[in-house]
Amino acid sequence: MRNSTVIRESWPTSGRLAAWPAGVLIAALMALAVAGCAGGDPLVGLFLYNEADPYILEFGRQILGAAPSGFAIKKFDAANSQPIQNEQIDNFLDRRPDLLVVNPVDRLGAYAIIQRARSAAVPVVFFNREPLAADMALWDRVWYVGAKAIQSGRLQAELVIKLFGGDPAHLNAFDRNGDNVIQALILKGEQGHQDAEIRTREVLHSFEERAFRVEVLALEIANWNQAEAYEKIHHLLRQYQSAIELVISNNDAMALGAISRMRQNGWFNDADGNGVIDSRDPDWTPVVGIDGLRAAEQAITEGYLYGTVKNDSLSMALAIIELAEFLLGRRSGSSLSATVEDGRYIWVDYTPYVYQP
Ligand code: GAL
């Protein structure tokens, strides 16, 4: 995590504004819609934390694809640097834009972004990396579109429970050593990211709630990154070998990195010679991800990845664009497809995804 204090000092600060009261109605939201761009094409800045992240790359494309003609959207990639993103936003604000759509590099960086946008009177829609509630409350023209990480952890656990037969007292043959405990490796995303923390906690919590015993052999932080997961899982595969009955990954990219290394180290053979890799092969080991990347869907079809939980960037992109249209005075609040919670949050559901022949 980068230190956001330095950034805070260099950006203007002023007194805190009151948060919107909880449960505020769409009617109240409408009062905040701006009509400033009524004359020309609205100018919108789309700020991505890092296009090297495949989920974010897909997400950015979905937002651009969902934008109606007549929206001038300028996209920026911060290459995983909050100071770079701050500079991009600062320069863009000089162009007097109508709206900022921001995927912050560091969720704590949202504080300075909100302060800066408020000084310039430009509303902000955050997505994917949720600012702290206290920062969201700094100004009443700040929104967040995202998915609840708690749901993804729970759904991931459901997929595993189903695979192991659904009965905690009698696990099926995927419990290779027959001890009624699932021996697992965990690949965690970036420390401090709401999705990494909550997904890891909730997947384990869900097993516990359903009385499934899971032994975490090891947990590695691989920062959402495929190459890092590929590197970091290597020694774990060597250390634990066939004791590993499950690999839980906080996202698909890391799951795919793990699978490449597993394949390279001799996992996933078509042992029964039926021409496909599938769970009937004795050394097939379930790997579960989250996101629903195209590459993950492909790996599911090929039999390497057991399943994923779709982190629906298309629906979130549509919600962001509808909200943008509303904020720019081009859509009525009542015509938003998604519900706005607490006056500023739009939540999109995760959905499980496994192979369906
Ligand atoms: C998560 C996603 C990860 C990563 C991260 C970046 O929601 O599951 O793959 O892209 O966002 O903030």
Side-chain angles (χ1 to χ4, degrees), residues 162-196:
K162 199 167 154 206
L163 184 75
F164 280 80
D167 178 357
H170 301 99
L171 300 185
N172 60 19
F174 289 111
D175 173 26
R176 283 206 197 105
N177 63 359
D179 66 351
N180 252 345
V181 180
I182 304 172
Q183 275 75 27
L185 299 181
I186 297 188
L187 291 170
K188 190 177 173 188
E190 191 183 323
Q191 282 285 72
H193 189 300
Q194 86 275 347
D195 289 344

Short mmCIF file of all heavy atoms in Angstrom, two decimals, residues 162-196:
data_model
loop_
_atom_site.label_atom_id
_atom_site.label_comp_id
_atom_site.label_asym_id
_atom_site.label_seq_id
_atom_site.Cartn_x
_atom_site.Cartn_y
_atom_site.Cartn_z
N LYS A 162 -20.16 -28.20 -3.09
CA LYS A 162 -20.88 -29.03 -4.05
C LYS A 162 -19.94 -30.10 -4.63
O LYS A 162 -20.29 -31.27 -4.72
CB LYS A 162 -21.39 -28.11 -5.16
CG LYS A 162 -22.49 -28.69 -5.98
CD LYS A 162 -23.13 -27.63 -6.83
CE LYS A 162 -23.75 -28.25 -8.05
NZ LYS A 162 -23.85 -27.34 -9.17
N LEU A 163 -18.74 -29.68 -4.99
CA LEU A 163 -17.79 -30.62 -5.59
C LEU A 163 -17.44 -31.75 -4.64
O LEU A 163 -17.30 -32.91 -5.05
CB LEU A 163 -16.51 -29.88 -6.01
CG LEU A 163 -15.48 -30.75 -6.73
CD1 LEU A 163 -15.93 -31.02 -8.17
CD2 LEU A 163 -14.10 -30.11 -6.74
N PHE A 164 -17.30 -31.43 -3.38
CA PHE A 164 -16.90 -32.46 -2.39
C PHE A 164 -18.10 -33.23 -1.85
O PHE A 164 -17.98 -33.96 -0.87
CB PHE A 164 -16.09 -31.82 -1.24
CG PHE A 164 -14.65 -31.58 -1.61
CD1 PHE A 164 -14.28 -30.47 -2.36
CD2 PHE A 164 -13.65 -32.47 -1.25
CE1 PHE A 164 -12.96 -30.24 -2.73
CE2 PHE A 164 -12.32 -32.26 -1.61
CZ PHE A 164 -11.97 -31.15 -2.36
N GLY A 165 -19.25 -33.08 -2.47
CA GLY A 165 -20.38 -33.96 -2.17
C GLY A 165 -21.44 -33.38 -1.25
O GLY A 165 -22.48 -34.00 -1.04
N GLY A 166 -21.18 -32.21 -0.65
CA GLY A 166 -22.23 -31.53 0.11
C GLY A 166 -22.45 -32.03 1.54
O GLY A 166 -23.23 -31.43 2.27
N ASP A 167 -21.80 -33.11 1.93
CA ASP A 167 -22.02 -33.62 3.29
C ASP A 167 -20.70 -33.56 4.07
O ASP A 167 -19.76 -34.30 3.78
CB ASP A 167 -22.52 -35.07 3.19
CG ASP A 167 -22.73 -35.70 4.56
OD1 ASP A 167 -22.43 -35.04 5.58
OD2 ASP A 167 -23.19 -36.86 4.61
N PRO A 168 -20.64 -32.68 5.07
CA PRO A 168 -19.37 -32.50 5.79
C PRO A 168 -18.88 -33.76 6.51
O PRO A 168 -17.70 -33.92 6.77
CB PRO A 168 -19.67 -31.38 6.79
CG PRO A 168 -21.14 -31.31 6.90
CD PRO A 168 -21.71 -31.84 5.62
N ALA A 169 -19.79 -34.64 6.82
CA ALA A 169 -19.40 -35.85 7.55
C ALA A 169 -18.87 -36.93 6.61
O ALA A 169 -18.18 -37.86 7.04
CB ALA A 169 -20.59 -36.38 8.34
N HIS A 170 -19.23 -36.83 5.33
CA HIS A 170 -18.78 -37.84 4.37
C HIS A 170 -18.35 -37.17 3.07
O HIS A 170 -19.15 -37.09 2.13
CB HIS A 170 -19.92 -38.84 4.06
CG HIS A 170 -20.41 -39.55 5.28
ND1 HIS A 170 -21.54 -39.17 5.96
CD2 HIS A 170 -19.88 -40.59 5.97
CE1 HIS A 170 -21.69 -39.95 7.01
NE2 HIS A 170 -20.70 -40.83 7.04
N LEU A 171 -17.13 -36.69 3.05
CA LEU A 171 -16.65 -36.09 1.80
C LEU A 171 -16.46 -37.20 0.76
O LEU A 171 -16.19 -38.35 1.11
CB LEU A 171 -15.30 -35.38 2.04
CG LEU A 171 -15.29 -34.23 3.07
CD1 LEU A 171 -13.92 -33.56 3.10
CD2 LEU A 171 -16.36 -33.19 2.75
N ASN A 172 -16.61 -36.83 -0.50
CA ASN A 172 -16.48 -37.84 -1.56
C ASN A 172 -15.00 -38.06 -1.93
O ASN A 172 -14.10 -37.60 -1.21
CB ASN A 172 -17.35 -37.47 -2.77
CG ASN A 172 -16.94 -36.12 -3.35
OD1 ASN A 172 -15.82 -35.65 -3.10
ND2 ASN A 172 -17.82 -35.51 -4.12
N ALA A 173 -14.77 -38.68 -3.08
CA ALA A 173 -13.41 -39.11 -3.44
C ALA A 173 -12.44 -37.94 -3.68
O ALA A 173 -11.22 -38.16 -3.76
CB ALA A 173 -13.48 -40.00 -4.67
N PHE A 174 -12.97 -36.70 -3.81
CA PHE A 174 -12.05 -35.56 -3.96
C PHE A 174 -11.25 -35.32 -2.66
O PHE A 174 -10.22 -34.67 -2.68
CB PHE A 174 -12.80 -34.29 -4.38
CG PHE A 174 -13.28 -34.38 -5.79
CD1 PHE A 174 -14.63 -34.49 -6.09
CD2 PHE A 174 -12.37 -34.40 -6.84
CE1 PHE A 174 -15.06 -34.60 -7.40
CE2 PHE A 174 -12.79 -34.52 -8.15
CZ PHE A 174 -14.14 -34.62 -8.44
N ASP A 175 -11.74 -35.88 -1.59
CA ASP A 175 -10.96 -35.90 -0.34
C ASP A 175 -10.01 -37.09 -0.48
O ASP A 175 -10.28 -38.20 0.00
CB ASP A 175 -11.92 -36.07 0.85
CG ASP A 175 -11.17 -36.26 2.16
OD1 ASP A 175 -10.02 -35.79 2.26
OD2 ASP A 175 -11.75 -36.88 3.07
N ARG A 176 -8.90 -36.85 -1.12
CA ARG A 176 -8.04 -37.96 -1.56
C ARG A 176 -7.55 -38.87 -0.43
O ARG A 176 -7.48 -40.06 -0.58
CB ARG A 176 -6.82 -37.40 -2.28
CG ARG A 176 -7.13 -36.95 -3.66
CD ARG A 176 -5.86 -37.02 -4.49
NE ARG A 176 -6.07 -36.24 -5.69
CZ ARG A 176 -5.54 -35.04 -5.89
NH1 ARG A 176 -4.73 -34.51 -5.00
NH2 ARG A 176 -5.80 -34.38 -6.99
N ASN A 177 -7.20 -38.26 0.69
CA ASN A 177 -6.65 -39.09 1.78
C ASN A 177 -7.75 -39.58 2.73
O ASN A 177 -7.47 -40.22 3.74
CB ASN A 177 -5.56 -38.33 2.56
CG ASN A 177 -6.13 -37.09 3.23
OD1 ASN A 177 -7.31 -36.78 3.10
ND2 ASN A 177 -5.28 -36.37 3.96
N GLY A 178 -9.01 -39.24 2.40
CA GLY A 178 -10.14 -39.78 3.15
C GLY A 178 -10.20 -39.36 4.62
O GLY A 178 -10.82 -40.05 5.43
N ASP A 179 -9.61 -38.21 4.95
CA ASP A 179 -9.62 -37.81 6.37
C ASP A 179 -10.77 -36.86 6.71
O ASP A 179 -10.84 -36.32 7.82
CB ASP A 179 -8.28 -37.18 6.76
CG ASP A 179 -8.03 -35.85 6.04
OD1 ASP A 179 -8.81 -35.51 5.11
OD2 ASP A 179 -7.06 -35.15 6.39
N ASN A 180 -11.67 -36.64 5.71
CA ASN A 180 -12.82 -35.74 5.91
C ASN A 180 -12.43 -34.29 6.18
O ASN A 180 -13.21 -33.52 6.75
CB ASN A 180 -13.72 -36.24 7.05
CG ASN A 180 -15.01 -36.80 6.48
OD1 ASN A 180 -15.33 -36.57 5.31
ND2 ASN A 180 -15.73 -37.52 7.30
N VAL A 181 -11.22 -33.95 5.77
CA VAL A 181 -10.75 -32.57 5.88
C VAL A 181 -10.23 -32.20 4.49
O VAL A 181 -9.58 -33.02 3.84
CB VAL A 181 -9.59 -32.45 6.91
CG1 VAL A 181 -9.10 -31.01 7.01
CG2 VAL A 181 -10.00 -32.98 8.28
N ILE A 182 -10.55 -30.97 4.02
CA ILE A 182 -10.05 -30.55 2.71
C ILE A 182 -8.74 -29.80 2.90
O ILE A 182 -8.72 -28.76 3.56
CB ILE A 182 -11.09 -29.66 1.99
CG1 ILE A 182 -12.44 -30.38 1.87
CG2 ILE A 182 -10.58 -29.25 0.62
CD1 ILE A 182 -13.58 -29.50 1.36
N GLN A 183 -7.65 -30.35 2.35
CA GLN A 183 -6.35 -29.68 2.46
C GLN A 183 -6.25 -28.67 1.31
O GLN A 183 -6.36 -29.06 0.14
CB GLN A 183 -5.21 -30.70 2.38
CG GLN A 183 -4.86 -31.36 3.71
CD GLN A 183 -5.87 -32.41 4.17
OE1 GLN A 183 -6.54 -33.03 3.36
NE2 GLN A 183 -5.99 -32.60 5.48
N ALA A 184 -6.04 -27.41 1.65
CA ALA A 184 -6.13 -26.36 0.62
C ALA A 184 -4.95 -25.40 0.64
O ALA A 184 -4.34 -25.15 1.68
CB ALA A 184 -7.42 -25.57 0.83
N LEU A 185 -4.67 -24.86 -0.55
CA LEU A 185 -3.76 -23.72 -0.68
C LEU A 185 -4.63 -22.50 -0.98
O LEU A 185 -5.63 -22.62 -1.69
CB LEU A 185 -2.80 -23.90 -1.86
CG LEU A 185 -1.84 -25.09 -1.86
CD1 LEU A 185 -0.99 -25.04 -3.12
CD2 LEU A 185 -0.97 -25.08 -0.61
N ILE A 186 -4.22 -21.35 -0.48
CA ILE A 186 -4.97 -20.12 -0.79
C ILE A 186 -4.03 -19.13 -1.48
O ILE A 186 -2.91 -18.90 -1.02
CB ILE A 186 -5.57 -19.48 0.48
CG1 ILE A 186 -6.58 -20.45 1.10
CG2 ILE A 186 -6.21 -18.13 0.18
CD1 ILE A 186 -7.37 -19.87 2.26
N LEU A 187 -4.51 -18.56 -2.58
CA LEU A 187 -3.78 -17.48 -3.25
C LEU A 187 -4.57 -16.20 -2.99
O LEU A 187 -5.73 -16.08 -3.38
CB LEU A 187 -3.67 -17.75 -4.74
CG LEU A 187 -2.75 -18.93 -5.10
CD1 LEU A 187 -2.89 -19.30 -6.56
CD2 LEU A 187 -1.30 -18.60 -4.77
N LYS A 188 -3.91 -15.28 -2.33
CA LYS A 188 -4.61 -14.05 -1.91
C LYS A 188 -4.20 -12.88 -2.81
O LYS A 188 -3.05 -12.80 -3.25
CB LYS A 188 -4.24 -13.77 -0.45
CG LYS A 188 -5.05 -12.67 0.20
CD LYS A 188 -4.71 -12.49 1.67
CE LYS A 188 -5.42 -11.26 2.21
NZ LYS A 188 -5.00 -10.90 3.56
N GLY A 189 -5.16 -11.97 -3.04
CA GLY A 189 -4.87 -10.75 -3.82
C GLY A 189 -4.10 -9.76 -2.95
O GLY A 189 -3.51 -10.12 -1.93
N GLU A 190 -4.16 -8.51 -3.38
CA GLU A 190 -3.38 -7.46 -2.73
C GLU A 190 -3.81 -7.24 -1.27
O GLU A 190 -4.99 -7.07 -0.99
CB GLU A 190 -3.64 -6.21 -3.56
CG GLU A 190 -2.80 -5.05 -3.32
CD GLU A 190 -3.32 -3.90 -4.21
OE1 GLU A 190 -3.74 -4.15 -5.36
OE2 GLU A 190 -3.31 -2.78 -3.72
N GLN A 191 -2.84 -7.24 -0.36
CA GLN A 191 -3.12 -6.97 1.06
C GLN A 191 -3.86 -5.65 1.20
O GLN A 191 -3.46 -4.67 0.58
CB GLN A 191 -1.80 -6.83 1.84
CG GLN A 191 -1.11 -8.10 2.19
CD GLN A 191 -1.79 -8.85 3.33
OE1 GLN A 191 -2.87 -9.41 3.13
NE2 GLN A 191 -1.18 -8.89 4.48
N GLY A 192 -4.88 -5.62 2.03
CA GLY A 192 -5.58 -4.37 2.31
C GLY A 192 -6.68 -4.05 1.30
O GLY A 192 -7.54 -3.21 1.57
N HIS A 193 -6.69 -4.72 0.14
CA HIS A 193 -7.77 -4.52 -0.84
C HIS A 193 -9.02 -5.18 -0.27
O HIS A 193 -8.96 -6.31 0.21
CB HIS A 193 -7.35 -5.20 -2.15
CG HIS A 193 -8.25 -4.91 -3.32
ND1 HIS A 193 -9.59 -5.23 -3.33
CD2 HIS A 193 -7.99 -4.36 -4.52
CE1 HIS A 193 -10.11 -4.88 -4.50
NE2 HIS A 193 -9.17 -4.34 -5.24
N GLN A 194 -10.15 -4.47 -0.35
CA GLN A 194 -11.35 -5.01 0.29
C GLN A 194 -11.70 -6.38 -0.24
O GLN A 194 -12.12 -7.27 0.50
CB GLN A 194 -12.54 -4.03 0.14
CG GLN A 194 -13.39 -4.11 -1.12
CD GLN A 194 -12.83 -3.32 -2.30
OE1 GLN A 194 -11.93 -2.50 -2.12
NE2 GLN A 194 -13.34 -3.54 -3.50
N ASP A 195 -11.50 -6.62 -1.54
CA ASP A 195 -11.88 -7.92 -2.10
C ASP A 195 -10.97 -9.04 -1.61
O ASP A 195 -11.44 -10.14 -1.32
CB ASP A 195 -11.82 -7.87 -3.64
CG ASP A 195 -12.94 -7.02 -4.22
OD1 ASP A 195 -13.91 -6.74 -3.47
OD2 ASP A 195 -12.86 -6.64 -5.39
N ALA A 196 -9.68 -8.77 -1.50
CA ALA A 196 -8.74 -9.81 -1.05
C ALA A 196 -9.02 -10.18 0.41
O ALA A 196 -9.08 -11.37 0.76
CB ALA A 196 -7.31 -9.33 -1.22
#
